[in-house]
Amino acid sequence: MKIKPRTFSDYATIGFPAGMLMVFFVIPFGIMIAVSFFQRVQGAFYEPAFVFDNYARFLTSFFGGILGFSIGLAALVAVVSVLLAFPFTYILTRMTRRTQVVWLVFLLSVLSLSEVLIGFGWSTLLSRTAGISNLLVALGVLDKPMSLSPSFGAVMTGMVYQTFPYTVLVLFPALSRLDPSLVEVARTLGSGPVRSFLNVVVPALRNSIVSTLIMVFVFALGCYLLPQLLGKPSHWTLSVLITDQAIYQSNMPFAAAMAVFLVLVSLSLVAISLLYGKKENAA
Amino acid sequence: MSGLVFESIVKKFGEFTAVHETSLTIPQGKFVCLLGPSGCGKTTLLRMIAGLEAATAGRILLDGDDVTRIPTHKRDFGMVFQNLALFPHLTVGENIAYPLRIRGVSKSDCLAAVKRLLDLVQLPDMAGRPVSKLSGGQKQRVAIARALALEPKLFLLDEPLSALDAKLRESMQIELKQLQQKLGITTIVVTHDQREAMTMADLVVVMSQGKVHQVAPPVEIYRKPKDAFVADFIGSTNLISGRISGSGKLAVPGGTLLADDLPATGDVTLSVRPENIRVTAGSGDNTPGCLAGEVSYIRDLGASIEMYLSVAGQQITAITTPSDRPDIAAGDAVSVHFPKDACVVLGDA
Amino acid sequence: MDDIKKGISRRSVLAGIAGGSAVAMAGIAGFPGIVRAQEKSLKIGAYGGYFKDSFDKHIFPEFTKATGISVESIAQPTGEAWLVQLEQAARAGQAPADVSMISQVSMLRGSAASIWAKLDPAKMPNIENVMPSFINKYDDGSVCGVGAVTWYITLVSNSDVITQAPSSWEELWKPDRAGQLGLLALVTNSFLLDVTAKTYFGGQEILDTEEGIMKVMDKLAELKDNVQLWYRDEAQFEQALKSGEIPMGQYYHDVAGLAAADGYPVRSTFPKEGGINDSGSWAVSKASEKLDLAHVFIDFMSQPEIQTLLSRKVGTSPTVARAKTSLTDAEFASVSSEIEPIIPRYDMYQQRADWLSQKWTELIVS
Ligand SMILES: Nc1ncnc2c1ncn2[C@@H]1O[C@H](COP(=O)(O)OP(=O)(O)O)[C@@H](O)[C@H]1O
Ligand SMILES: [Mg+2]
């Protein structure tokens, strides 16, 4: 027998999250979609209308290239972050409670750093005059100090630095819950530590891994300061251009159209990977 | 020599000693049960055999070779964990083939091995199932099949049947024993259930609080418990203390009992199994081996009858069958007979 | 480009995003002939960071002392974000600030959308002092903005790394500058089209047509390999310039002067083609209910003494004729130059906004 909600309070429990979702997601996104169809008035602002100009302007190979780069960058950041964070978190969950707390507090404090701080910090660390290349010179690895930023490597470093703690915190609960006897049984069956990790821990947690990849991917896709602070113009992502259009060109309709497109593309990528994952699980 | 040997093995977790210095020999091809109450160190001992815990001191030898420092994955022992630990992302067949696959066994050989093992554990045609779709008993069999896939030198099981219901557990006990006899593989099973140990084991290792109390075949454990702990833990018993009063004679409250293997002097404790005590109506002769008592309470269970007696202020339990039931009732005065060969002298625990 | 030869946005976006406000306490001294203020206050927007700090410290207290009007200063972001907020506020009838300092392209945009209150010159006798080119007007001739400050973007260099002071914008194109330049990242705040036109095409007339602009862009494309950093945020370049990491580029003359005064090896040079002269105007949001007080403020700010004070304390160049100020030659030289400035083609930036930003982005991104 199904129990139907009857009283107001029965509905309220679902009403609250629904309301939050409405206020913080549905309404703003709705407004953004609406604005993306508005008519841009060059030299002023925009007028309510229903035109496709903003999307038309976006559909060029130039923006296609930038979209491709943005998605590729976010995907790479997600993969590198998870590749680093997964073994790290696995080892962390096997440590004493005390060590775990120390690390988690440290990671939380990194997480509390703003994007601006991270960007400036890394651009200094990667600079020729004050950066780590001087250390390498002192160690005799390099002949003379060199500037490592702006560059693609610098953007990657900054973004992975930013997403790493986030990735660890997302993976931590799943890895803590992993039954340690799975690894032990694999060892009794003849796998060494590395092989048991790859054969047992990774596949047993593949759903967590996929959802973490998606979360980090979406997070990285929205990153607009680090590519500016650590990259050359060719490393600027769509989010950077959206910010430029919104803040410097006050071209809200075009910025909105790009943002809508970005959201749709990332949602469909997420959907595809989930569908693919489901099929694989069913197989 | 062949078999598994513990030489002065000790295991400490920090300050806490989980296994006190233990030396033990498990002969090749035997079915051994590690038996003891929860928390006594059985799992720890088993995990040391598997290499999942490092011994704090001592050596473990297998067929004369020191295996103490060999890592788990090079020991080739099959182990079934208490929670079974089947790989959730693999099917039944893939679980069983896992140890073969990582050793590079060909696909067709793997398939053949899986089929043979599934037949062995009586789960034919299950290879393609996801493990999440199995019942408790089926999971049990898959875990056993997987542990046996390597034809291991040692087969280790940690409370393998504890998650099953009572009926299934009993039939699995017999099946497991038959399987072991068929394969002739040295098998070590951890259990806290003495009936289970009695059913399956060739050799029972009784443990408590990190110490081994007795290592012997089940019947001997039952008939000749070495100390009060073993006597009490294996089945139920009557413990009677007294002082040596002459050759083969023991003065106990209310009279004298006779026993073999008594020391010359001193205080000793006897264990007398309830089913060995004979009760007759009337406070009869007060000869050695017979004490006067009174019936406190009788419990008739149909197949057996339990008599609770008070003998010189001490509680004694006796069991008999319906056909031998004496004609007595609660409050009656009775004679309680302790046959000489049923009185087992216990050592210090 | 007659009335409107002034500057586009500047000051750090990053600093501007972090808000904040300080309320100066009302003073009691009088101000000639105008509203007596009791408990009167005005919300004034200034670029967050260095600008706002300097105004809070040196300028607003003087105003409160003179008029009794207290000031609540609002840190406004640069770029057009503030304009967007003002525009939305105007629709809602709620002003985030009564008076704001607005860049020239934003002034034009705002005029097109009529979000500025019309100002009455009769209520502001002191704006007579302000040079006519710094007065912003609606198409119908009514006043909507009054020049607040002007500043220069010049050729800056690190004197430790580059011992010989550069003398021309051509320096940016020299092959031995490879990987050494820091330039502003946006077409609307770098004004590099104007610089290139003046340096290589004999003047800004070539910017009249799209063809001309494309030629200028092609020339500009030649210096791309020299650029190490395209910056949006001043702090990003300032750090690199001071340390010599990026030893040359375009930067704000006033801030470069402050860095030099602090002992950093930073030098600012007016090239022979001229520095870029950019400016901000005071404008009042239509949604403001304090137009009277705003008139008092703008009038106050237009006094030559206050313009002098701004030059001395904030480092900006005056919007009144130099002769009216009491600046010494040295003081004037530190905020301005006798070399004829490059005044950006604000009309072009407004009329071809989308096309320009598209071409510019393609130019530097590709
Ligand atoms: N990893 C460990 N760290 C600390 N103490 C442990 C650890 N493993 C087991 N113990 C302790 O050792 C004792 C024996 O445990 P165990 O061998 O699991 O007992 P059981 O006989 O129930 O299998 C228990 O008191 C247990 O708390
Ligand atoms: Mg246990």
Side-chain angles (χ1 to χ4, degrees):
Chain A
M1 191 185 89
K2 266 189 192 157
I3 300 168
K4 289 182 185 161
R6 281 168 203 286
T7 63
F8 173 73
S9 62
D10 288 343
Y11 288 103
T13 48
I14 140 140
F16 182 70
M20 298 297 269
L21 198 67
M22 203 67 191
V23 170
F24 290 107
F25 182 74
V26 176
I27 293 177
F29 193 63
I31 292 174
M32 195 164 79
I33 292 177
V35 170
S36 74
F37 289 107
F38 282 5
Q39 175 72 54
R40 153 82 158 162
V41 180
Q42 184 156 276
F45 297 96
Y46 53 83
E47 285 166 357
F50 189 77
V51 295
F52 291 95
D53 297 5
N54 305 306
Y55 289 95
R57 179 176 167 192
F58 181 71
L59 294 174
T60 59
S61 64
F62 175 71
F63 283 107
I66 290 179
L67 178 67
F69 174 78
S70 309
I71 288 173
L73 177 68
L76 194 60
V77 167
V79 168
V80 172
S81 262
V82 171
L83 275 181
L84 293 176
F86 193 84
F88 174 86
T89 314
Y90 176 68
I91 293 168
L92 188 61
T93 54
R94 251 109 276 250
M95 303 220 169
T96 62
R97 194 99 211 137
R98 216 191 159 87
T99 321
Q100 289 180 5
V101 169
V102 170
W103 270 103
L104 292 179
V105 167
F106 172 71
L107 290 171
L108 277 173
S109 61
V110 171
L111 204 61
S112 71
L113 297 179
S114 71
E115 222 179 319
V116 180
L117 223 61
I118 293 174
F120 274 90
W122 276 105
S123 67
T124 305
L125 275 175
L126 298 174
S127 71
R128 177 175 49 82
T129 43
I132 45 177
S133 67
N134 293 283
L135 206 68
L136 297 179
V137 171
L139 292 174
V141 181
L142 281 178
D143 282 344
K144 57 178 189 299
M146 54 192 267
S147 173
L148 302 169
S149 164
S151 67
F152 183 72
V155 176
M156 278 299 294
T157 309
M159 289 180 75
V160 169
Y161 180 82
Q162 191 191 17
T163 51
F164 180 80
Y166 180 72
T167 317
V168 171
L169 293 179
V170 172
L171 286 172
F172 192 81
L175 274 164
S176 309
R177 263 184 272 118
L178 179 76
D179 179 0
S181 61
L182 283 181
V183 175
E184 291 181 342
V185 84
R187 285 169 58 200
T188 65
L189 294 172
S191 332
V194 175
R195 210 206 304 238
S196 338
F197 176 77
L198 295 176
N199 276 348
V200 177
V201 180
V202 173
L205 290 172
R206 67 183 163 185
N207 288 339
S208 301
I209 292 175
V210 168
S211 55
T212 308
L213 277 173
I214 290 171
M215 271 197 264
V216 180
F217 170 77
V218 171
F219 186 84
L221 209 52
C223 196
Y224 72 96
L225 277 173
L226 292 178
Q228 273 175 56
L229 294 177
L230 297 170
K232 291 181 179 299
S234 55
H235 307 133
W236 291 348
T237 57
L238 203 57
S239 296
V240 176
L241 298 191
I242 292 173
T243 315
D244 278 355
Q245 287 298 328
I247 293 186
Y248 296 97
Q249 306 297 331
S250 57
N251 193 345
M252 285 300 173
F254 186 43
M258 286 198 279
V260 168
F261 205 86
L262 192 61
V263 170
L264 290 182
V265 167
S266 38
L267 281 183
S268 44
L269 283 176
V270 168
I272 288 169
S273 54
L274 287 182
L275 272 178
Y276 177 75
K278 207 171 206 173
K279 234 181 227 150
E280 211 180 42
N281 275 355
Chain B
M1 71 160 280
S2 74
L4 184 70
V5 177
F6 289 83
E7 276 184 11
S8 308
I9 281 290
V10 175
K11 177 65 193 177
K12 292 187 180 182
F13 293 111
E15 291 294 292
F16 174 75
T17 307
V19 176
H20 291 273
E21 188 175 327
T22 295
S23 295
L24 185 64
T25 300
I26 290 169
Q28 155 77 38
K30 290 278 192 249
F31 195 122
V32 178
C33 279
L34 301 182
L35 175 66
S38 178
C40 72
K42 308 179 294 289
T43 297
T44 306
L45 203 58
L46 194 76
R47 287 170 60 84
M48 282 195 285
I49 301 172
L52 295 169
E53 300 288 356
T56 311
R59 298 199 303 162
I60 298 174
L61 308 170
L62 181 66
D63 298 342
D65 299 330
D66 187 349
V67 298
T68 325
R69 305 259 161 261
I70 296 180
T72 302
H73 61 280
K74 299 207 173 121
R75 292 196 184 190
D76 292 352
F77 299 163
M79 180 155 170
V80 175
F81 284 67
Q82 188 160 9
N83 66 355
L84 306 182
L86 296 179
F87 300 129
H89 58 288
L90 300 181
T91 62
V92 168
E94 287 164 343
N95 261 282
I96 295 172
Y98 180 83
L100 304 172
R101 197 166 49 82
I102 62 171
R103 283 172 175 77
V105 173
S106 75
K107 226 181 168 112
S108 55
D109 289 354
C110 279
L111 281 177
V114 167
K115 184 173 174 351
R116 182 175 53 76
L117 286 158
L118 282 175
D119 288 344
L120 187 70
V121 297
Q122 300 174 27
L123 278 184
D125 308 325
M126 287 280 213
R129 295 262 188 112
V131 290
S132 57
K133 296 264 153 59
L134 301 181
S135 71
Q138 289 171 326
K139 282 183 181 160
Q140 185 66 61
R141 289 162 198 257
V142 174
I144 290 170
R146 182 177 64 178
L148 291 174
L150 282 182
E151 297 174 10
K153 286 179 262 179
L154 271 181
F155 187 27
L156 310 173
L157 302 95
D158 190 358
E159 313 233 5
L161 310 179
S162 59
L164 307 181
D165 60 59
K167 257 220 161 97
L168 188 55
R169 188 155 66 221
E170 298 215 343
S171 67
M172 279 299 286
Q173 287 164 4
I174 292 163
E175 223 176 276
L176 199 56
K177 173 73 184 173
Q178 287 171 340
L179 185 66
Q180 189 268 341
Q181 282 173 338
K182 192 158 142 194
L183 299 174
I185 182 172
T186 311
T187 300
I188 303 175
V189 176
V190 163
T191 178
H192 63 265
D193 177 350
Q194 47 112 355
R195 280 177 61 89
E196 189 166 295
M198 304 300 267
T199 310
M200 301 190 293
D202 299 322
L203 208 56
V204 178
V205 177
V206 185
M207 297 178 66
S208 88
Q209 296 187 338
K211 292 195 184 94
V212 171
H213 286 254
Q214 188 169 7
V215 182
V219 178
E220 187 182 329
I221 292 271
Y222 188 78
R223 298 232 175 102
K224 295 246 175 271
K226 227 167 141 185
D227 57 34
F229 173 79
V230 178
D232 198 39
F233 188 71
I234 310 295
S236 55
T237 197
N238 298 290
L239 297 177
I240 303 163
S241 298
R243 170 161 296 184
I244 309 290
S245 59
S247 158
K249 285 186 181 159
L250 189 69
V252 299
T256 303
L257 295 183
L258 302 173
D260 292 326
D261 305 329
L262 273 178
T265 56
D267 294 340
V268 295
T269 303
L270 296 179
S271 160
V272 192
R273 296 287 179 197
E275 66 273 20
N276 294 334
I277 296 174
R278 203 161 50 80
V279 179
T280 52
S283 53
D285 47 4
N286 203 349
T287 54
C290 177
L291 305 177
E294 188 188 305
V295 179
S296 317
Y297 177 69
I298 295 178
R299 198 154 78 125
D300 194 334
L301 296 170
S304 66
I305 293 141
E306 296 176 8
M307 295 164 283
Y308 298 90
L309 314 165
S310 172
V311 176
Q314 196 180 357
Q315 176 82 46
I316 297 286
T317 309
I319 295 180
T320 187
T321 55
S323 56
D324 292 336
R325 178 179 177 151
D327 184 18
I328 53 172
D332 290 357
V334 289
S335 300
V336 186
H337 304 270
F338 296 86
K340 188 178 181 191
D341 57 1
C343 294
V344 179
V345 181
L346 300 176
D348 294 331
Chain C
M1 57 173 283
D2 296 317
D3 300 353
I4 33 173
K5 302 177 174 171
K6 287 143 230 169
I8 295 218
S9 58
R10 54 168 308 189
R11 299 305 152 196
S12 134
V13 180
L14 306 179
I17 287 166
S21 70
V23 182
M25 295 312 295
I28 12 144
F31 190 67
I34 326 187
V35 213
R36 262 270 142 218
Q38 230 176 3
E39 293 290 316
K40 304 242 177 205
S41 70
L42 205 49
K43 278 194 275 185
I44 301 175
Y47 301 128
Y50 162 74
F51 248 50
K52 181 178 163 299
D53 294 346
S54 303
F55 271 79
D56 281 342
K57 198 159 156 204
H58 304 294
I59 310 298
F60 294 146
E62 292 296 319
F63 171 66
T64 302
K65 210 156 73 180
T67 63
I69 301 169
S70 62
V71 173
E72 182 186 346
S73 66
I74 310 283
Q76 68 182 61
T78 44
E80 315 235 323
W82 185 242
L83 190 67
V84 173
Q85 285 183 36
L86 285 176
E87 192 258 348
Q88 280 162 355
R91 288 186 194 175
Q94 262 265 325
D98 300 301
V99 188
S100 306
M101 194 189 288
I102 303 294
S103 73
Q104 297 313 302
V105 170
S106 294
M107 278 308 301
L108 289 175
R109 291 235 169 103
S111 303
S114 296
I115 67 169
W116 311 126
K118 288 185 179 173
L119 302 175
D120 182 358
K123 290 184 180 167
M124 304 180 289
N126 278 312
I127 72 165
E128 288 292 314
N129 297 309
V130 176
M131 289 186 277
S133 60
F134 293 124
I135 302 288
N136 308 78
K137 290 180 175 166
Y138 275 122
D139 289 342
D140 66 2
S142 51
V143 175
C144 59
V146 175
V149 290
T150 87
W151 59 78
Y152 285 88
I153 297 173
T154 57
L155 194 52
V156 293
S157 46
N158 181 299
S159 52
D160 284 351
V161 180
I162 294 174
T163 43
Q164 186 77 34
S167 63
S168 163
W169 288 110
E170 285 175 16
E171 193 71 27
L172 300 181
W173 275 263
K174 292 207 174 138
D176 49 347
R177 292 284 157 256
Q180 294 197 341
L181 304 182
L183 299 178
L184 281 150
L186 298 161
V187 66
T188 48
N189 69 3
S190 69
F191 306 116
L192 284 169
L193 293 179
D194 301 277
V195 169
T196 311
K198 186 95 178 266
T199 307
Y200 287 99
F201 296 92
Q204 289 154 285
E205 288 71 30
I206 191 167
L207 300 175
D208 285 343
T209 64
E210 286 193 359
E211 275 172 337
I213 294 171
M214 287 313 293
K215 273 189 197 148
V216 172
M217 285 206 179
D218 287 344
K219 181 68 196 171
L220 202 47
E222 292 171 15
L223 61 64
K224 267 175 59 181
D225 284 344
N226 287 357
V227 182
Q228 171 75 356
L229 178 71
W230 290 96
Y231 67 95
R232 286 175 182 71
D233 183 73
E234 284 175 39
Q236 209 184 344
F237 178 52
E238 185 172 332
Q239 191 51 43
L241 178 67
K242 283 177 180 169
S243 68
E245 175 92 15
I246 301 173
M248 189 182 270
Q250 58 170 175
Y251 200 54
Y252 298 99
H253 180 66
D254 44 28
V255 194
L258 290 175
D262 285 346
Y264 291 101
V266 169
R267 95 159 77 71
S268 169
T269 315
F270 279 86
K272 64 175 195 274
E273 298 86 359
I276 303 162
N277 186 206
D278 192 12
S279 68
S281 296
W282 297 117
V284 184
S285 165
K286 249 188 187 170
S288 169
E289 288 162 0
K290 298 189 174 166
L291 192 54
D292 282 346
L293 298 183
H295 277 99
V296 177
F297 175 73
I298 296 172
D299 189 46
F300 176 85
M301 293 303 293
S302 305
Q303 302 171 95
E305 309 86 80
I306 297 302
Q307 286 290 320
T308 306
L309 188 65
L310 281 168
S311 294
R312 290 192 179 129
K313 299 294 190 187
V314 189
T316 54
S317 184
T319 56
V320 303
R322 192 206 151 174
K324 296 192 176 181
T325 67
S326 57
L327 294 172
T328 65
D329 284 352
E331 282 172 336
F332 184 72
S334 74
V335 296
S336 188
S337 159
E338 299 294 352
I339 301 173
E340 197 199 329
I342 298 174
I343 295 173
R345 287 282 303 267
Y346 299 117
D347 58 333
M348 169 187 76
Y349 292 114
Q350 190 215 5
Q351 284 155 21
R352 302 189 197 276
D354 292 349
W355 181 81
L356 269 182
S357 85
Q358 179 72 31
K359 291 294 169 199
W360 175 267
T361 311
E362 287 174 17
L363 170 75
I364 68 169
V365 168
S366 56

